[in-house]
Amino acid sequence: MSWRWITLAGWSVLAAAIVATELAAHTVMRRLQGFESIMAFLARSRPTRVALLLGWGWLGWHLFVR
Amino acid sequence: MSRMHLRRRPSPDVLPGERAGGRPWKWVAIGAVGLVWGWFDAHTRTFTIPAEVSAGIVIAAVYAYAYARRRRGRPTDTGGVRGAGGSNPTAPTSGRTAPVARRTIAIWGAIITLAVAWELFALLHLPRHLHPTFSSLYVEASRLLLVRVVTFAAWLALGIWIVLQ
């Protein structure tokens, strides 16, 4: 097994964990909240909201322009 | 303190599109704008001026929107909304402050930490085709026009959602 497959497996596991946690938060684990809650928590204070917006801008520039 | 103030789960009579202070049709409109703009953006090539202009306009517009909302004084850092009904303590404030268990922070924190660690691990190893990072995977996937259009629309919606918090 090459490093490529190992790295891809890692990304797949992470993606599955994100989807499973989000699904669980909206179905069986009612005490668990979705990723939106974490983002909303971070966006509540001005400094972290600014940081989120700067990160958002960097992400878009990195993905679509580089 | 075992619980922290996080966003309240919406009550069953609250539509999903209303969580971030907007009506569902707003998000439909934002999605439509994102898809149309994304379609045009998908026809630009990276490292070119058209790509810079396309993404730059969106980033500038969202930052300007955030600045305009701040100038109008909403949202406040306490989660209230000034303006119509904002001075009324019983007025709805988009459900900003509600407790959430540390379990939520622990689980999502662990996932985010692992994702960052995996990204750094891939980033620090070469060659890239053997150690693909998140963005290099996106580059491969974005050869499909639909992937790039949908990603662009989702990115735009995320930016506006952050501003609306």
Side-chain angles (χ1 to χ4, degrees):
Chain A
M1 178 180 280
S2 72
W3 269 110
R4 178 173 175 81
W5 289 108
I6 293 172
T7 310
L8 289 176
W11 284 120
S12 301
V13 168
L14 282 166
I18 290 169
V19 171
T21 306
E22 192 68 29
L23 282 176
H26 288 92
T27 53
V28 292
M29 294 179 69
R30 302 299 294 178
R31 291 180 63 187
L32 179 67
Q33 288 181 280
F35 186 70
E36 177 195 7
S37 300
I38 297 295
M39 291 290 285
F41 172 59
L42 293 174
R44 278 193 69 235
S45 73
R46 188 171 299 153
T48 50
R49 190 163 60 240
V50 169
L52 280 177
L53 272 176
L54 289 174
W56 168 84
W58 174 85
L59 179 68
W61 193 266
H62 181 57
L63 290 181
F64 305 119
V65 181
R66 268 174 292 278
Chain B
M1 192 168 82
S2 62
R3 295 167 83 82
M4 300 181 69
H5 275 311
L6 288 186
R7 188 176 186 80
R8 177 189 303 149
R9 273 183 188 281
S11 59
D13 58 337
V14 176
L15 295 172
E18 293 178 329
R19 289 181 195 175
R23 297 183 182 89
W25 66 264
K26 278 188 179 176
W27 290 103
V28 173
I30 290 167
V33 169
L35 288 174
V36 171
W37 197 290
W39 190 83
F40 284 107
D41 183 84
H43 289 83
T44 64
R45 299 184 65 175
T46 53
F47 297 108
T48 62
I49 289 178
E52 291 177 359
V53 170
S54 175
I57 287 174
V58 171
I59 291 171
V62 170
Y63 284 177
Y65 181 41
Y67 181 72
R69 276 179 66 85
R70 168 150 160 58
R71 292 268 297 181
R72 286 192 310 221
R74 59 181 184 175
T76 66
D77 276 351
T78 55
V81 178
R82 291 183 204 149
S87 59
N88 179 1
T90 61
T93 58
S94 304
R96 287 185 177 279
T97 55
V100 69
R102 281 187 174 180
R103 178 189 306 178
T104 297
I105 297 173
I107 291 175
W108 282 112
I111 290 173
I112 293 168
T113 302
L114 284 173
V116 170
W118 199 243
E119 170 76 5
L120 288 175
F121 175 79
L123 190 65
L124 295 174
H125 289 79
L126 292 172
R128 185 59 62 228
H129 73 276
L130 289 182
H131 301 279
T133 59
F134 177 80
S135 56
S136 66
L137 287 174
Y138 171 75
V139 168
E140 293 179 26
S142 67
R143 290 176 187 147
L144 284 173
L145 183 73
L146 181 66
V147 170
R148 185 156 179 172
V149 172
V150 171
T151 306
F152 194 93
W155 172 69
L156 172 62
L158 175 65
I160 295 174
W161 183 86
I162 293 171
V163 173
L164 291 175
Q165 296 306 302

